[in-house]
Amino acid sequence: MCLAVPGKVLKIDNYKGVVEIGNMKREVFMHLIPDIKVGQYVLVHAGCAIETIDEEEAAKTLEIIKELSENEIC
């Protein structure tokens, strides 16, 4: 199963950028979304931003992921 995680674009430098996901910052490749802007939200999968997403949808998705991790049974 594959999962893309939403994050906010903080910095862009050519085809790499820094994305904030929750309280973590990650460097990701931005080449699949050449017209992306700082402040927008993207879905990140396997180290690549693959799609833009609006802020409301990003917040909903992060909340669902948080709930799932809190209810995980090991």
Side-chain angles (χ1 to χ4, degrees):
M1 180 170 127
C2 297
L3 179 68
V5 181
K8 184 177 183 178
V9 178
L10 301 178
K11 179 181 171 184
I12 301 170
D13 185 18
N14 290 324
Y15 291 105
K16 285 189 178 181
V18 176
V19 175
E20 183 177 47
I21 301 170
N23 61 358
M24 300 181 302
K25 294 181 176 106
R26 295 286 183 246
E27 188 174 77
V28 300
F29 290 103
M30 307 296 264
H31 61 283
L32 296 174
I33 312 173
D35 56 346
I36 192 72
K37 308 261 187 294
V38 170
Q40 288 184 295
Y41 286 79
V42 293
L43 290 176
V44 178
H45 174 68
C48 295
I50 60 171
E51 183 179 346
T52 58
I53 184 173
D54 67 39
E55 184 176 359
E56 183 179 337
E57 192 65 30
K60 286 180 191 177
T61 303
L62 286 171
E63 184 59 33
I64 290 168
I65 292 170
K66 181 180 174 186
E67 287 176 20
L68 287 171
S69 69
E70 289 172 352
N71 294 316
E72 183 178 350
I73 300 173
C74 296

Coordinates of all heavy atoms in Angstrom, one line a residue:
M1 N 0.8 -1.2 0.0 CA 0.0 0.0 0.0 C 0.9 1.2 0.0 O 1.8 1.3 0.7 CB -0.9 0.0 1.2 CG -1.8 1.2 1.4 SD -2.9 0.9 2.7 CE -2.7 2.4 3.6
C2 N 0.6 2.2 -0.8 CA 1.3 3.5 -0.9 C 0.5 4.6 -0.2 O -0.7 4.6 -0.3 CB 1.6 3.8 -2.4 SG 2.6 2.6 -3.2
L3 N 1.3 5.5 0.4 CA 0.6 6.6 1.0 C 1.4 7.9 0.7 O 2.6 7.9 0.8 CB 0.7 6.4 2.6 CG 0.1 7.4 3.5 CD1 -1.4 7.5 3.3 CD2 0.5 7.1 4.9
A4 N 0.6 8.9 0.3 CA 1.2 10.2 0.1 C 0.8 11.1 1.3 O -0.4 11.0 1.7 CB 0.7 10.8 -1.2
V5 N 1.7 11.9 1.8 CA 1.4 12.7 3.0 C 1.5 14.2 2.6 O 2.4 14.6 1.9 CB 2.5 12.4 4.0 CG1 2.3 13.2 5.3 CG2 2.6 10.9 4.3
P6 N 0.5 14.9 3.1 CA 0.5 16.4 2.8 C 1.5 17.2 3.6 O 1.8 16.8 4.7 CB -1.0 16.8 3.1 CG -1.4 15.8 4.1 CD -0.7 14.5 3.8
G7 N 2.0 18.2 2.9 CA 2.9 19.1 3.6 C 2.9 20.5 3.0 O 2.5 20.6 1.8
K8 N 3.4 21.5 3.7 CA 3.4 22.8 3.3 C 4.8 23.2 2.7 O 5.8 22.9 3.4 CB 3.1 23.8 4.5 CG 3.1 25.2 4.1 CD 2.7 26.1 5.3 CE 2.5 27.5 4.8 NZ 2.1 28.4 6.0
V9 N 4.9 23.8 1.6 CA 6.1 24.1 0.9 C 6.7 25.4 1.6 O 6.1 26.4 1.7 CB 5.9 24.4 -0.6 CG1 7.3 24.8 -1.2 CG2 5.4 23.2 -1.3
L10 N 7.9 25.2 2.2 CA 8.6 26.3 2.9 C 9.7 27.0 2.0 O 9.9 28.2 2.2 CB 9.3 25.8 4.2 CG 8.4 25.1 5.2 CD1 9.2 24.6 6.4 CD2 7.3 26.1 5.7
K11 N 10.3 26.2 1.1 CA 11.4 26.7 0.4 C 11.5 26.0 -0.9 O 11.2 24.7 -1.0 CB 12.7 26.5 1.2 CG 13.9 27.0 0.5 CD 15.2 26.7 1.4 CE 16.4 26.9 0.7 NZ 17.6 26.6 1.5
I12 N 11.9 26.6 -2.0 CA 12.1 26.0 -3.3 C 13.4 26.5 -3.9 O 13.7 27.7 -3.9 CB 10.9 26.3 -4.3 CG1 9.6 25.9 -3.8 CG2 11.2 25.7 -5.6 CD1 8.4 26.4 -4.5
D13 N 14.2 25.6 -4.3 CA 15.5 25.9 -4.9 C 15.7 25.0 -6.1 O 16.0 23.8 -6.0 CB 16.6 25.7 -4.0 CG 18.0 26.1 -4.5 OD1 18.0 26.8 -5.5 OD2 19.0 25.7 -3.9
N14 N 15.4 25.5 -7.3 CA 15.4 24.7 -8.6 C 14.3 23.6 -8.5 O 13.2 23.9 -8.3 CB 16.7 24.2 -8.9 CG 17.7 25.3 -9.4 OD1 17.3 26.3 -10.0 ND2 18.9 25.2 -9.0
Y15 N 14.7 22.4 -8.5 CA 13.8 21.3 -8.5 C 13.8 20.6 -7.1 O 13.3 19.4 -7.0 CB 14.1 20.3 -9.6 CG 13.8 20.8 -10.9 CD1 14.8 21.2 -11.8 CD2 12.4 21.0 -11.3 CE1 14.4 21.8 -13.0 CE2 12.1 21.5 -12.6 CZ 13.1 21.9 -13.4 OH 12.8 22.4 -14.6
K16 N 14.3 21.2 -6.1 CA 14.2 20.7 -4.7 C 13.5 21.7 -3.9 O 13.6 22.9 -4.1 CB 15.6 20.4 -4.2 CG 16.3 19.2 -4.7 CD 17.6 18.8 -4.0 CE 18.2 17.6 -4.5 NZ 19.4 17.3 -3.8
G17 N 12.9 21.2 -2.8 CA 12.3 22.1 -1.9 C 12.3 21.5 -0.5 O 12.6 20.4 -0.3
V18 N 11.9 22.3 0.4 CA 11.7 21.9 1.8 C 10.2 22.0 2.1 O 9.6 23.0 1.9 CB 12.5 22.8 2.8 CG1 12.2 22.4 4.2 CG2 14.0 22.7 2.5
V19 N 9.7 20.9 2.7 CA 8.3 20.7 3.0 C 8.1 20.4 4.4 O 8.8 19.6 5.0 CB 7.6 19.6 2.1 CG1 6.2 19.4 2.5 CG2 7.7 20.0 0.6
E20 N 7.2 21.1 5.1 CA 6.9 20.8 6.5 C 5.7 19.9 6.6 O 4.6 20.2 6.0 CB 6.6 22.1 7.2 CG 6.3 22.0 8.7 CD 6.1 23.3 9.4 OE1 5.3 24.1 8.8 OE2 6.7 23.5 10.4
I21 N 5.9 18.7 7.2 CA 4.9 17.7 7.4 C 4.7 17.6 8.9 O 5.6 17.0 9.6 CB 5.3 16.4 6.7 CG1 5.5 16.6 5.2 CG2 4.2 15.3 7.0 CD1 6.1 15.4 4.5
G22 N 3.6 18.1 9.4 CA 3.4 18.1 10.9 C 4.5 19.0 11.5 O 4.6 20.1 11.2
N23 N 5.3 18.4 12.4 CA 6.4 19.2 13.0 C 7.8 18.8 12.4 O 8.8 19.1 13.0 CB 6.4 19.0 14.5 CG 6.6 17.6 14.9 OD1 6.7 16.7 14.1 ND2 6.7 17.4 16.2
M24 N 7.8 18.1 11.3 CA 9.0 17.7 10.6 C 9.2 18.5 9.3 O 8.3 18.8 8.6 CB 9.0 16.2 10.3 CG 8.8 15.3 11.4 SD 8.9 13.5 11.0 CE 7.5 13.5 9.8
K25 N 10.5 18.7 9.0 CA 10.8 19.3 7.7 C 11.6 18.3 6.9 O 12.5 17.7 7.4 CB 11.6 20.6 7.9 CG 10.8 21.7 8.6 CD 11.6 22.9 8.8 CE 10.7 24.0 9.4 NZ 10.9 24.2 10.8
R26 N 11.3 18.2 5.6 CA 11.9 17.2 4.7 C 12.3 17.9 3.4 O 11.5 18.7 2.9 CB 11.0 16.0 4.4 CG 10.7 15.2 5.6 CD 11.9 14.3 6.0 NE 11.6 13.5 7.1 CZ 12.1 13.6 8.3 NH1 12.9 14.5 8.6 NH2 11.8 12.7 9.3
E27 N 13.4 17.5 2.9 CA 13.8 17.9 1.5 C 13.1 17.0 0.5 O 13.2 15.8 0.7 CB 15.3 17.9 1.4 CG 15.7 18.6 0.1 CD 17.2 18.7 -0.1 OE1 17.9 17.7 -0.3 OE2 17.7 19.8 0.1
V28 N 12.5 17.5 -0.5 CA 11.8 16.7 -1.5 C 12.1 17.2 -2.9 O 12.4 18.4 -3.0 CB 10.2 16.7 -1.2 CG1 9.9 16.1 0.1 CG2 9.6 18.0 -1.4
F29 N 11.9 16.4 -3.8 CA 12.0 16.7 -5.2 C 10.7 17.4 -5.7 O 9.7 16.9 -5.4 CB 12.4 15.5 -6.1 CG 13.7 15.0 -5.9 CD1 14.0 13.9 -5.1 CD2 14.9 15.7 -6.4 CE1 15.2 13.4 -4.9 CE2 16.1 15.2 -6.2 CZ 16.3 14.0 -5.4
M30 N 10.8 18.5 -6.4 CA 9.7 19.2 -6.9 C 9.5 19.2 -8.4 O 8.6 19.9 -8.9 CB 9.8 20.7 -6.4 CG 10.1 20.9 -4.9 SD 8.8 20.3 -3.9 CE 7.9 21.8 -3.6
H31 N 10.2 18.4 -9.1 CA 10.2 18.4 -10.5 C 8.9 18.0 -11.2 O 8.6 18.3 -12.3 CB 11.4 17.5 -11.1 CG 11.3 16.1 -10.7 ND1 11.6 15.6 -9.4 CD2 10.8 15.0 -11.4 CE1 11.4 14.3 -9.4 NE2 10.9 13.9 -10.5
L32 N 8.0 17.3 -10.4 CA 6.7 16.9 -11.0 C 5.7 18.0 -11.0 O 4.7 17.9 -11.6 CB 6.2 15.7 -10.3 CG 7.0 14.4 -10.4 CD1 6.5 13.3 -9.5 CD2 7.1 14.0 -11.9
I33 N 6.0 19.1 -10.2 CA 5.1 20.2 -10.1 C 5.9 21.5 -10.3 O 6.3 22.2 -9.4 CB 4.4 20.3 -8.7 CG1 3.8 18.9 -8.3 CG2 3.3 21.3 -8.7 CD1 3.3 18.9 -6.9
P34 N 6.3 21.8 -11.6 CA 7.2 22.9 -11.9 C 6.7 24.3 -11.5 O 7.5 25.2 -11.2 CB 7.5 22.8 -13.4 CG 6.3 22.0 -13.9 CD 5.9 21.1 -12.8
D35 N 5.4 24.5 -11.4 CA 4.9 25.8 -11.1 C 4.5 26.0 -9.6 O 3.7 26.9 -9.3 CB 3.7 26.2 -12.0 CG 2.6 25.1 -12.0 OD1 2.8 24.0 -11.5 OD2 1.5 25.5 -12.5
I36 N 5.0 25.1 -8.7 CA 4.6 25.2 -7.3 C 5.2 26.5 -6.7 O 6.2 27.0 -7.1 CB 5.1 23.9 -6.6 CG1 4.5 23.8 -5.2 CG2 6.6 23.9 -6.5 CD1 3.1 23.5 -5.1
K37 N 4.5 27.0 -5.7 CA 4.9 28.2 -5.0 C 5.1 27.9 -3.5 O 4.4 27.1 -2.9 CB 3.9 29.3 -5.2 CG 3.5 29.6 -6.6 CD 4.2 30.7 -7.2 CE 3.8 31.2 -8.5 NZ 4.0 30.3 -9.6
V38 N 6.0 28.7 -2.8 CA 6.1 28.6 -1.4 C 4.8 29.0 -0.8 O 4.1 29.9 -1.2 CB 7.2 29.6 -0.9 CG1 7.2 29.7 0.6 CG2 8.6 29.2 -1.4
G39 N 4.4 28.2 0.3 CA 3.1 28.4 1.0 C 2.0 27.5 0.5 O 1.0 27.3 1.2
Q40 N 2.2 26.9 -0.7 CA 1.2 25.9 -1.1 C 1.4 24.6 -0.4 O 2.5 24.3 0.1 CB 1.3 25.7 -2.6 CG 0.8 26.9 -3.4 CD 0.8 26.6 -4.9 OE1 1.9 26.4 -5.5 NE2 -0.3 26.6 -5.6
Y41 N 0.4 23.7 -0.5 CA 0.5 22.4 0.1 C 0.6 21.4 -1.0 O 0.0 21.5 -2.1 CB -0.8 22.1 0.9 CG -0.8 22.9 2.2 CD1 -1.1 24.2 2.3 CD2 -0.4 22.2 3.4 CE1 -1.1 24.9 3.5 CE2 -0.4 22.9 4.6 CZ -0.7 24.2 4.6 OH -0.7 24.9 5.8
V42 N 1.4 20.3 -0.8 CA 1.6 19.3 -1.8 C 1.4 17.9 -1.1 O 1.5 17.8 0.1 CB 3.0 19.4 -2.4 CG1 3.2 20.6 -3.2 CG2 4.1 19.3 -1.3
L43 N 1.2 16.9 -1.9 CA 1.3 15.5 -1.4 C 2.6 15.0 -1.7 O 3.1 15.2 -2.9 CB 0.2 14.7 -2.2 CG -1.2 14.9 -1.8 CD1 -2.2 14.1 -2.6 CD2 -1.5 14.7 -0.3
V44 N 3.3 14.4 -0.7 CA 4.6 13.9 -0.9 C 4.6 12.4 -0.8 O 4.0 11.8 0.1 CB 5.6 14.4 0.3 CG1 7.0 13.9 0.1 CG2 5.6 16.0 0.2
H45 N 5.2 11.8 -1.8 CA 5.3 10.3 -1.9 C 6.7 9.9 -2.3 O 7.2 10.5 -3.4 CB 4.3 9.7 -2.8 CG 4.5 8.3 -3.0 ND1 4.2 7.3 -2.0 CD2 4.8 7.6 -4.1 CE1 4.4 6.1 -2.5 NE2 4.8 6.2 -3.8
A46 N 7.4 9.1 -1.6 CA 8.7 8.6 -2.0 C 9.7 9.7 -2.2 O 10.5 9.7 -3.2 CB 8.6 7.6 -3.1
G47 N 9.6 10.8 -1.5 CA 10.6 11.9 -1.6 C 10.3 12.9 -2.7 O 11.1 13.7 -3.0
C48 N 9.1 12.7 -3.3 CA 8.7 13.6 -4.4 C 7.4 14.3 -4.1 O 6.4 13.6 -3.7 CB 8.6 12.9 -5.7 SG 10.1 12.2 -6.3
A49 N 7.3 15.6 -4.4 CA 6.0 16.2 -4.4 C 5.2 15.8 -5.7 O 5.8 16.0 -6.8 CB 6.1 17.7 -4.3
I50 N 4.1 15.2 -5.5 CA 3.4 14.6 -6.7 C 2.1 15.4 -7.1 O 1.7 15.2 -8.2 CB 3.1 13.1 -6.5 CG1 2.2 12.9 -5.3 CG2 4.4 12.3 -6.3 CD1 1.6 11.5 -5.2
E51 N 1.6 16.2 -6.2 CA 0.3 16.9 -6.5 C 0.1 18.0 -5.6 O 0.5 17.9 -4.4 CB -0.8 15.9 -6.4 CG -2.2 16.4 -6.8 CD -3.2 15.3 -6.7 OE1 -2.9 14.1 -6.6 OE2 -4.4 15.7 -6.7
T52 N -0.5 19.1 -6.0 CA -0.9 20.2 -5.1 C -2.2 19.8 -4.4 O -3.0 19.0 -4.9 CB -1.1 21.5 -5.8 OG1 -2.1 21.4 -6.8 CG2 0.2 22.0 -6.3
I53 N -2.4 20.3 -3.2 CA -3.6 20.1 -2.4 C -3.9 21.3 -1.6 O -3.0 22.1 -1.3 CB -3.3 18.9 -1.5 CG1 -4.6 18.5 -0.7 CG2 -2.2 19.1 -0.5 CD1 -4.4 17.2 0.1
D54 N -5.2 21.6 -1.4 CA -5.5 22.8 -0.6 C -5.3 22.6 0.9 O -5.2 21.5 1.4 CB -6.9 23.3 -1.0 CG -8.1 22.4 -0.4 OD1 -8.0 21.9 0.7 OD2 -9.1 22.3 -1.2
E55 N -5.2 23.7 1.6 CA -4.8 23.7 3.0 C -5.9 22.9 3.8 O -5.5 22.2 4.7 CB -4.7 25.1 3.5 CG -4.2 25.2 4.9 CD -4.0 26.6 5.4 OE1 -4.2 27.6 4.6 OE2 -3.6 26.8 6.6
E56 N -7.1 23.1 3.5 CA -8.2 22.4 4.3 C -8.1 20.9 4.1 O -8.1 20.1 5.1 CB -9.5 22.9 3.8 CG -10.7 22.3 4.6 CD -12.0 22.8 4.2 OE1 -12.1 23.8 3.5 OE2 -13.0 22.0 4.4
E57 N -7.9 20.4 2.9 CA -7.7 19.0 2.7 C -6.5 18.4 3.3 O -6.4 17.3 3.9 CB -7.7 18.7 1.2 CG -7.9 17.2 0.8 CD -9.2 16.7 1.2 OE1 -10.2 17.4 1.3 OE2 -9.3 15.5 1.5
A58 N -5.4 19.2 3.3 CA -4.1 18.8 3.9 C -4.3 18.6 5.4 O -3.9 17.6 6.0 CB -3.0 19.8 3.7
A59 N -5.0 19.6 6.1 CA -5.3 19.5 7.5 C -6.2 18.3 7.9 O -5.9 17.6 8.8 CB -6.0 20.8 8.0
K60 N -7.2 18.0 7.1 CA -8.0 16.8 7.3 C -7.2 15.5 7.2 O -7.4 14.7 8.0 CB -9.2 16.8 6.3 CG -10.3 17.8 6.5 CD -11.3 17.6 5.4 CE -12.3 18.7 5.3 NZ -13.2 18.5 4.2
T61 N -6.4 15.5 6.2 CA -5.6 14.2 5.9 C -4.6 14.0 7.1 O -4.5 12.9 7.6 CB -4.9 14.3 4.6 OG1 -5.9 14.5 3.6 CG2 -4.1 13.0 4.3
L62 N -3.9 15.1 7.5 CA -3.0 15.0 8.6 C -3.7 14.5 9.9 O -3.1 13.8 10.7 CB -2.2 16.3 8.8 CG -1.1 16.6 7.7 CD1 -0.6 18.0 7.9 CD2 0.0 15.6 7.8
E63 N -4.9 15.0 10.1 CA -5.6 14.7 11.3 C -6.0 13.2 11.3 O -5.9 12.5 12.3 CB -6.9 15.5 11.5 CG -7.7 15.2 12.7 CD -6.9 15.5 14.0 OE1 -6.0 16.4 14.1 OE2 -7.1 14.8 15.0
I64 N -6.4 12.7 10.1 CA -6.7 11.3 10.0 C -5.5 10.4 10.2 O -5.5 9.4 10.9 CB -7.3 11.0 8.6 CG1 -8.7 11.6 8.5 CG2 -7.4 9.5 8.3 CD1 -9.3 11.6 7.1
I65 N -4.4 10.8 9.7 CA -3.1 10.1 9.9 C -2.7 10.0 11.3 O -2.3 9.0 11.9 CB -2.0 10.6 9.0 CG1 -2.3 10.4 7.5 CG2 -0.6 10.0 9.4 CD1 -1.3 11.1 6.6
K66 N -2.9 11.2 12.0 CA -2.6 11.3 13.4 C -3.5 10.3 14.2 O -3.0 9.6 15.1 CB -2.8 12.7 13.9 CG -2.5 12.9 15.4 CD -2.7 14.3 15.8 CE -2.6 14.5 17.3 NZ -2.9 15.9 17.7
E67 N -4.8 10.3 13.9 CA -5.7 9.4 14.6 C -5.4 8.0 14.4 O -5.4 7.1 15.3 CB -7.2 9.7 14.1 CG -7.8 11.0 14.6 CD -9.1 11.3 14.0 OE1 -9.8 10.3 13.5 OE2 -9.6 12.4 14.1
L68 N -5.0 7.6 13.2 CA -4.7 6.2 12.9 C -3.4 5.8 13.7 O -3.4 4.7 14.2 CB -4.4 6.1 11.4 CG -5.6 6.1 10.5 CD1 -5.2 6.1 9.0 CD2 -6.5 4.9 10.8
S69 N -2.4 6.7 13.8 CA -1.2 6.3 14.5 C -1.5 6.2 16.0 O -0.9 5.4 16.7 CB -0.1 7.3 14.2 OG -0.4 8.6 14.8
E70 N -2.4 7.0 16.5 CA -2.7 6.9 18.0 C -3.5 5.7 18.3 O -3.4 5.2 19.4 CB -3.6 8.2 18.4 CG -2.7 9.5 18.4 CD -3.6 10.7 18.6 OE1 -4.9 10.6 18.6 OE2 -3.0 11.8 18.7
N71 N -4.2 5.1 17.3 CA -5.1 4.0 17.6 C -4.4 2.7 17.1 O -5.1 1.6 17.1 CB -6.4 4.1 16.9 CG -7.2 5.2 17.6 OD1 -7.2 5.4 18.8 ND2 -7.8 6.1 16.8
E72 N -3.2 2.7 16.7 CA -2.5 1.6 16.1 C -2.3 0.5 17.3 O -1.9 0.8 18.4 CB -1.1 2.0 15.6 CG -0.4 0.8 15.0 CD 1.0 1.2 14.4 OE1 1.2 2.4 14.3 OE2 1.7 0.3 14.0
I73 N -2.6 -0.7 16.9 CA -2.4 -1.8 17.9 C -1.2 -2.6 17.4 O -1.1 -3.1 16.3 CB -3.7 -2.7 17.9 CG1 -4.9 -1.9 18.4 CG2 -3.4 -3.9 18.8 CD1 -6.2 -2.6 18.3
C74 N -0.2 -2.8 18.3 CA 1.0 -3.5 18.0 C 0.9 -4.9 18.5 O 0.4 -5.2 19.5 CB 2.2 -2.8 18.5 SG 2.5 -1.2 17.8

